[in-house]
Amino acid sequence: MNYNLAFIGFGNIGQGFAELLLEQEKQLKEKYGIEYKVVAISTLTRGTVYNKNGLNLKEILKLIKKGEPLTNHCDVKKGWDALKTIKDSNADIVLELTPTNIKTGEPAITHIKTALLCKKNVITVNKGPIALKYKQLMTIAQKNKVMLKFEGTVLGGTPAITLGTEALAGAKITEIKGILNGTTNFILTEMEKGKEYQSALKEAQRLGYAETDPTADVEGYDTVAKLVILANVLMDVNIKPSDVKRTGITKISLANIKKARQNGQVWKLVGHIKTDNGIKAEVAPKMLKSNELLANINKGMNGLCIKTDIVGEITIIGAGAGPKGTSFAILNDLISINRTLKGINI
Amino acid sequence: MNYNLAFIGFGNIGQGFAELLLEQEKQLKEKYGIEYKVVAISTLTRGTVYNKNGLNLKEILKLIKKGEPLTNHCDVKKGWDALKTIKDSNADIVLELTPTNIKTGEPAITHIKTALLCKKNVITVNKGPIALKYKQLMTIAQKNKVMLKFEGTVLGGTPAITLGTEALAGAKITEIKGILNGTTNFILTEMEKGKEYQSALKEAQRLGYAETDPTADVEGYDTVAKLVILANVLMDVNIKPSDVKRTGITKISLANIKKARQNGQVWKLVGHIKTDNGIKAEVAPKMLKSNELLANINKGMNGLCIKTDIVGEITIIGAGAGPKGTSFAILNDLISINRTLKGINI
């Protein structure tokens, strides 16, 4: 099938996905019969380009890498912003790739709502809208008979959402426990090697795992958002980030780490939700026994234990966020949309 | 949507799935809009029952539990066998649940072919047909625009097939390494506790993990069949069980186990296939470093590491075979068929 894609936001993730699309073009066509055109790219600071017959993606990537605005491109649309691009372009799949705002979810919530109301499918990796408005957005999608996909919002390229919604569709999930943030897991792994917190944080920043202001990661906000998404999507509850008890890793000292090790334990930042006896949701550093599966997930890796009514515990482990994994999640969402639209005509 | 199901084979797995269906009836309707009738049950030794308006499943389960033949039932069809049931019943989903014959794949291959040619969807947990004739059967399914689903052939309720084919659809899988047999993993875990092989095997037999003739498990044949299925389905190769180098666990002694432990290693029966430099496929006991993920999978648990081109390694861990997990896999395949047939009308 043929798809017209519009990128809303074209930062690291958008550019990474554009490169992956070019790389995978042949395989998408041969393996899945997917052909695509990128018809629009809308950015906040570099302008918008649109061509209903398809943009020259390679050329635009070159322009962006040189740091030039899209206004230098022949397909520039003066006065077009994200909303106009969503409404007036001939895109049938909108990629919402703007930065996450976990407090308001905006402008991504408005972008996604607008696209769904225009009967356009949406793929996003933005945690804000899914953590804050999942049920509302899904209702709009269903009413308009389009899809909203968001595999990349949790665990990057490790397909936790599809695992829960499709591969475990027949199960009732009663508990989720996971290492959901690669940055803090990297820091704790460095501390296991003997570094103090501040020095491990600096190493994480030097390697690009942690941002200059590491608050969202080290204080647990990012893990909270992911836990809320997993809970609302996979456990059919309706919780908000403020419903999750939150403690970061900044108070963990090297002495804590060493003491735990003497007892055969390791510290991990764990997101945990149980629903069997009321909803209990918490993000906090926990001491895990060293032979537990989650205790053996190190560096930037993520892992998730899903407890089910019928088949006990299923654990999935893989690389956490990062442009490549997140791009892969978008690619997988595109293939999933195609699978649904093709139906039995495989 | 409404489905008419026919059971071909009604042993432990068939009965287990029938019970799960009854248990999940309300949830299937509410969550997925799935309604079903069991219209036929065909067994090799107890006869066949058929009612185009739906059998009384509870009553039939009672009859079977009492050890009575289905000929005592009002819906008995004299002279009907599996093939006649597949062809002449009004079933639209055929559940092929006869015992695995890994050498010939029969009679299951003929059952499945017949159903697909009659344009009926098939769900099977029988390893024979998928290990021996996967490509041929899928071609028939595609030509007839029906589906062939087989999640339960590997890792029981742990959804390895859906993980690979759907959740990781965008990736090229270059290597698979796994603990795919619960019986041998249970035996090796018992040996880790200090038992000799023979005594560990007896314990596995006492608890129902191992059969009276344990050859298929302990000599690695079962792992070979599962590795072939995973390879052909997820890696787009076309290998036969005889292409896999095979060594069982019967030569592993307690002394081997102890020696490995002194070096921080544990013995596991590992199925392994790589395709990056020609196809190399092997099932053999391997010493794994004790901090490797697969080394920490104990008792009847299974685990699978999938190496991909785009997102590195993804590992999934969960309970192996067993009637409950296998029934769950069938349930999930039913939901998956429904998802495809409903398409966007979610």
Side-chain angles (χ1 to χ4, degrees):
Chain A
M1 293 179 77
N2 292 290
Y3 300 97
N4 291 340
L5 311 180
F7 284 67
I8 308 301
F10 204 62
N12 282 343
I13 302 288
Q15 292 168 46
F17 180 61
E19 282 161 7
L20 186 63
L21 262 183
L22 291 170
E23 232 176 86
Q24 298 286 322
E25 191 166 355
K26 199 170 154 236
Q27 144 131 341
L28 282 172
K29 189 174 172 184
E30 285 174 4
K31 199 166 167 191
Y32 298 107
I34 293 176
E35 294 183 77
Y36 71 87
K37 287 187 202 109
V38 174
V39 294
I41 297 174
S42 183
T43 72
L44 195 60
T45 56
R46 288 173 163 193
T48 295
V49 281
Y50 173 58
N51 185 327
K52 70 176 166 46
N53 299 313
L55 298 162
N56 184 333
L57 194 54
K58 272 183 205 163
E59 202 182 275
I60 290 171
L61 278 167
K62 267 188 212 160
L63 211 68
I64 290 277
K65 301 275 174 208
K66 278 194 267 173
E68 289 181 26
L70 295 173
T71 43
N72 291 0
H73 194 271
C74 59
D75 290 320
V76 65
K77 286 279 169 188
K78 280 188 191 154
W80 277 41
D81 60 5
L83 283 178
K84 190 161 173 63
T85 306
I86 292 167
K87 282 187 210 161
D88 292 354
S89 76
N90 65 339
D92 40 35
I93 301 183
V94 171
L95 310 173
E96 213 300 330
L97 309 176
T98 63
T100 290
N101 178 331
I102 200 57
K103 283 190 187 141
T104 67
E106 292 294 359
I109 290 174
T110 303
H111 293 163
I112 293 175
K113 258 192 208 170
T114 306
L116 297 174
L117 288 167
C118 294
K119 301 194 187 300
K120 297 181 182 195
N121 299 290
V122 174
I123 301 173
T124 189
V125 298
N126 193 316
K127 286 184 280 289
I130 310 301
L132 300 170
K133 297 283 174 191
Y134 168 67
K135 292 239 156 43
Q136 191 191 334
L137 293 172
M138 282 308 270
T139 304
I140 299 174
Q142 280 159 8
K143 271 191 192 158
N144 288 279
K145 300 217 175 224
V146 284
M147 284 169 270
L148 168 59
K149 308 292 285 184
F150 46 86
E151 181 63 83
T153 56
V154 290
L155 274 76
T158 304
I161 299 291
T162 309
L163 178 72
T165 54
E166 306 204 358
L168 296 174
K172 186 170 156 47
I173 295 171
T174 54
E175 186 173 346
I176 281 178
K177 193 173 165 184
I179 297 174
L180 307 175
N181 178 277
T183 308
T184 46
N185 205 40
F186 179 87
I187 293 172
L188 292 172
T189 306
E190 287 296 298
M191 291 176 76
E192 288 288 336
K193 292 185 201 159
K195 286 198 176 82
E196 278 290 357
Y197 171 76
Q198 281 302 336
S199 141
L201 170 62
K202 267 187 197 145
E203 180 68 3
Q205 285 169 324
R206 194 182 67 82
L207 292 171
Y209 277 107
E211 291 176 50
T212 319
D213 175 1
T215 312
D217 290 322
V218 299
E219 294 293 1
Y221 292 102
D222 177 76
T223 304
V224 166
K226 290 168 177 169
L227 188 67
V228 169
I229 292 173
L230 288 167
N232 289 349
V233 175
L234 303 185
M235 301 175 84
D236 199 25
V237 297
N238 199 358
I239 62 168
K240 300 182 299 295
S242 57
D243 296 328
V244 181
K245 207 176 142 191
R246 179 190 51 76
T247 314
I249 63 161
T250 54
K251 303 267 165 63
I252 304 288
S253 67
L254 187 54
N256 294 139
I257 302 264
K258 284 183 178 164
K259 200 173 167 198
R261 194 185 303 144
Q262 283 165 7
N263 297 319
Q265 293 178 310
V266 288
W267 282 97
K268 294 286 179 191
L269 183 65
V270 174
H272 189 189
I273 176 162
K274 282 177 83 162
T275 57
D276 49 357
N277 192 6
I279 300 173
K280 265 192 219 166
E282 186 184 17
V283 168
K286 296 280 172 187
M287 281 190 288
L288 306 180
K289 280 188 204 154
S290 57
N291 63 348
E292 260 188 62
L293 283 172
L294 290 184
N296 290 287
I297 297 170
N298 293 314
K299 297 183 192 166
M301 299 292 278
N302 283 185
L304 189 67
C305 291
I306 297 176
K307 203 170 184 176
T308 68
D309 56 344
I310 307 181
V311 279
E313 213 164 85
I314 304 278
T315 303
I316 188 164
I317 297 159
K324 205 148 191 190
T326 308
S327 295
F328 172 73
I330 302 170
L331 182 72
N332 236 52
D333 280 345
L334 172 63
I335 296 170
S336 168
I337 287 176
N338 181 63
R339 191 164 49 237
T340 302
L341 293 178
K342 275 188 104 171
I344 189 65
N345 304 305
I346 25 176
Chain B
M1 292 178 79
N2 292 289
Y3 300 98
N4 291 340
L5 310 180
F7 283 67
I8 308 302
F10 204 61
N12 282 343
I13 302 288
Q15 292 167 46
F17 179 60
E19 282 162 6
L20 186 63
L21 262 182
L22 290 169
E23 231 176 85
Q24 298 285 321
E25 191 165 354
K26 198 170 154 235
Q27 145 131 341
L28 281 172
K29 189 172 173 185
E30 285 175 2
K31 199 166 166 191
Y32 299 107
I34 293 176
E35 295 183 78
Y36 70 88
K37 287 188 201 107
V38 174
V39 294
I41 297 174
S42 183
T43 73
L44 195 60
T45 56
R46 288 175 163 192
T48 294
V49 281
Y50 173 58
N51 185 328
K52 70 174 168 44
N53 299 314
L55 298 162
N56 184 331
L57 194 55
K58 273 183 205 162
E59 201 181 274
I60 290 171
L61 277 167
K62 267 188 210 159
L63 211 68
I64 290 277
K65 300 276 174 207
K66 278 194 265 173
E68 289 181 27
L70 295 173
T71 43
N72 292 0
H73 194 270
C74 58
D75 289 320
V76 65
K77 286 282 168 186
K78 280 186 192 158
W80 277 42
D81 60 5
L83 283 178
K84 192 163 171 61
T85 306
I86 292 167
K87 282 186 209 160
D88 292 354
S89 75
N90 65 340
D92 41 35
I93 301 182
V94 171
L95 310 173
E96 213 299 331
L97 308 176
T98 64
T100 291
N101 178 329
I102 199 59
K103 282 188 188 143
T104 67
E106 292 294 358
I109 290 175
T110 304
H111 294 163
I112 293 174
K113 258 192 209 171
T114 306
L116 297 174
L117 288 167
C118 293
K119 301 195 188 299
K120 298 181 181 194
N121 300 290
V122 174
I123 300 172
T124 189
V125 298
N126 193 315
K127 286 183 280 290
I130 310 302
L132 299 170
K133 296 283 175 193
Y134 167 67
K135 291 240 155 46
Q136 191 191 332
L137 293 172
M138 282 307 271
T139 305
I140 300 175
Q142 280 158 7
K143 272 190 190 158
N144 288 280
K145 300 218 175 218
V146 284
M147 283 169 271
L148 167 59
K149 308 292 285 185
F150 47 86
E151 182 64 82
T153 55
V154 289
L155 274 76
T158 304
I161 299 290
T162 309
L163 178 72
T165 54
E166 305 204 358
L168 296 174
K172 186 169 156 50
I173 295 170
T174 54
E175 187 174 346
I176 280 178
K177 194 174 165 185
I179 297 174
L180 307 175
N181 178 276
T183 308
T184 46
N185 206 40
F186 179 87
I187 292 172
L188 291 172
T189 305
E190 286 296 298
M191 290 176 77
E192 288 287 337
K193 292 186 203 159
K195 285 199 177 82
E196 278 291 356
Y197 172 76
Q198 281 302 336
S199 141
L201 170 62
K202 268 187 197 142
E203 180 67 3
Q205 284 169 324
R206 195 181 67 81
L207 292 172
Y209 277 108
E211 291 176 50
T212 319
D213 175 0
T215 312
D217 290 321
V218 300
E219 293 293 0
Y221 292 102
D222 177 76
T223 304
V224 166
K226 290 168 178 168
L227 187 68
V228 169
I229 292 173
L230 289 167
N232 289 350
V233 175
L234 303 185
M235 300 173 85
D236 199 26
V237 297
N238 198 358
I239 62 169
K240 300 182 299 295
S242 57
D243 296 328
V244 181
K245 207 175 143 193
R246 179 190 50 76
T247 314
I249 63 161
T250 55
K251 302 267 165 64
I252 303 287
S253 67
L254 187 54
N256 293 140
I257 301 264
K258 283 181 178 165
K259 200 174 165 195
R261 193 184 307 146
Q262 283 164 8
N263 297 317
Q265 293 178 310
V266 288
W267 282 97
K268 295 286 178 190
L269 182 64
V270 174
H272 189 189
I273 177 164
K274 282 178 82 162
T275 57
D276 50 356
N277 192 7
I279 300 172
K280 266 193 219 166
E282 187 184 17
V283 168
K286 296 280 172 187
M287 281 189 288
L288 306 181
K289 279 187 203 154
S290 57
N291 63 347
E292 262 189 60
L293 282 172
L294 290 184
N296 290 287
I297 297 171
N298 294 314
K299 299 184 191 164
M301 299 292 278
N302 283 186
L304 189 67
C305 290
I306 296 175
K307 203 170 182 176
T308 68
D309 56 344
I310 307 179
V311 278
E313 214 164 86
I314 305 279
T315 303
I316 187 164
I317 297 159
K324 204 147 194 194
T326 309
S327 295
F328 172 73
I330 302 170
L331 182 72
N332 235 53
D333 280 345
L334 171 64
I335 296 170
S336 168
I337 287 176
N338 181 64
R339 190 164 49 237
T340 302
L341 293 178
K342 276 187 103 173
I344 189 64
N345 305 303
I346 25 176

